[in-house]
Amino acid sequence: MGNEPFAVDTPDGVTLSGRIFGPTDRPAIVMVHGYPDNQTVWDSVARDLADNYRVVTYDVRGAGQSSAPRSSRHYKLPRLAADLKLIIEHVSPDASVHVVGHDWGSIQAWQAATDPDASRRMASFTSISGPCLDHVGHWARTQFPGSLRQLPRSWYIAGMHIPWASAALWQVLAPRWTRLLQRLDSDHPDGPGDSRQRRRDGIQGIRLYRANVLPRLLNPAERPCPLPVQLIIPREDPFVSPAMARAAMPW
């Protein structure tokens, strides 16, 4: 199994860096990583799937080898969903693809999966630990006060919205985060270059929270999903409770 690098330019001047694994004549799976990861988080999964699928990974804007815009407005969910649609059109212009998202990769893929234009290019969507923010906004209202139990898991989101504190906090947390991932996943890269990249991506990715979380939770839109959806819900996820993950069920 080899991997073929590619790059896609977006209308707002961002270059997205990606790779393709596996044979060209197999069904395509596009995998979208979360925060503060980059596309290499999928490498072991790509190796497992590449005999039977054409596996596509890419660095989302602000991460890995892709461009990192400075303004939070460039990280709003419609732009992220448009990025995913561009990737799909680049790697599979004539056929729909399966999409798998984890964490923030899942959050932005939900945006695409509930958009009538983008969802036409998706055969299915698998969501791992990344709910649709609009679904969560509705869930928090209908399940109150039960949804208050999620608050202790979401403490870090408040820190992401403090301009002077969030970047400084990540500078401290980045080395500890890398060591934690290495303990949890023996395949996780552990070189010094990765630590520097993760610190940079962690600071850049804070804009994801600032651009999207509060507006979606405070004023959630109606976002039904026409696709077959598979929810993978880790029972011991420290940040996303099973109840919040299932906020998608009515939609």
Side-chain angles (χ1 to χ4, degrees):
M1 178 205 72
N3 70 81
E4 171 193 341
F6 69 90
V8 173
D9 294 326
T10 73
D12 63 336
V14 170
T15 298
L16 302 171
S17 176
R19 293 177 296 163
I20 302 173
F21 303 79
T24 59
D25 60 345
R26 301 298 171 85
I29 302 177
V30 177
M31 314 196 81
V32 194
H33 69 82
Y35 171 87
D37 295 312
N38 57 54
Q39 64 179 309
T40 62
V41 77
W42 296 117
D43 282 359
S44 61
V45 179
R47 288 193 294 270
D48 289 340
L49 295 177
D51 286 341
N52 299 304
Y53 294 92
R54 189 176 188 224
V55 183
V56 179
T57 66
Y58 70 101
D59 292 324
V60 304
R61 57 176 61 205
Q65 301 305 308
S66 293
S67 302
R70 290 183 174 273
S71 172
S72 292
R73 65 186 175 86
H74 288 282
Y75 293 83
K76 290 185 176 181
L77 282 171
R79 289 184 184 263
L80 299 170
D83 290 349
L84 174 55
K85 184 170 180 284
L86 282 175
I87 294 291
I88 293 172
E89 291 172 343
H90 178 81
V91 300
S92 185
D94 301 319
S96 58
V97 306
H98 301 283
V99 174
V100 178
H102 170 249
D103 186 71
W104 267 97
S106 180
I107 291 172
Q108 59 191 274
W110 271 114
Q111 179 76 19
T114 56
D115 176 82
D117 185 41
S119 65
R120 282 196 288 267
R121 303 306 316 279
M122 299 169 64
S124 71
F125 173 40
T126 296
S127 172
I128 310 168
S129 291
C132 173
L133 294 182
D134 296 280
H135 295 170
V136 172
H138 289 289
W139 168 77
R141 287 162 171 76
T142 59
Q143 300 300 317
F144 186 87
S147 59
L148 291 176
R149 288 192 289 271
Q150 172 64 34
L151 289 179
R153 296 173 181 257
S154 303
W155 60 269
Y156 62 97
I157 294 177
M160 297 292 190
H161 286 79
I162 303 174
W164 60 268
S166 52
L169 177 63
W170 183 252
Q171 292 280 9
V172 174
L173 290 179
R176 293 174 175 82
W177 183 271
T178 301
R179 288 195 294 271
L180 172 63
L181 292 179
Q182 290 162 9
R183 288 198 298 271
L184 295 175
D185 181 0
S186 60
D187 290 332
H188 196 275
D190 58 1
D194 180 75
S195 297
R196 289 191 294 269
Q197 183 73 57
R198 186 173 298 281
R199 185 178 292 109
R200 191 211 73 155
D201 293 351
I203 294 171
Q204 292 287 352
I206 289 170
R207 294 181 173 91
L208 293 167
Y209 291 86
R210 294 179 184 169
N212 298 294
V213 173
L214 290 181
R216 295 305 181 102
L217 297 185
L218 295 176
N219 188 29
E222 303 279 325
R223 302 201 69 87
C225 182
L227 299 172
V229 174
Q230 174 178 235
L231 295 178
I232 297 179
I233 305 175
R235 294 194 184 101
E236 298 182 12
D237 188 325
F239 304 115
V240 178
S241 68
M244 187 168 76
R246 294 189 182 97
M249 298 300 282
W251 304 94

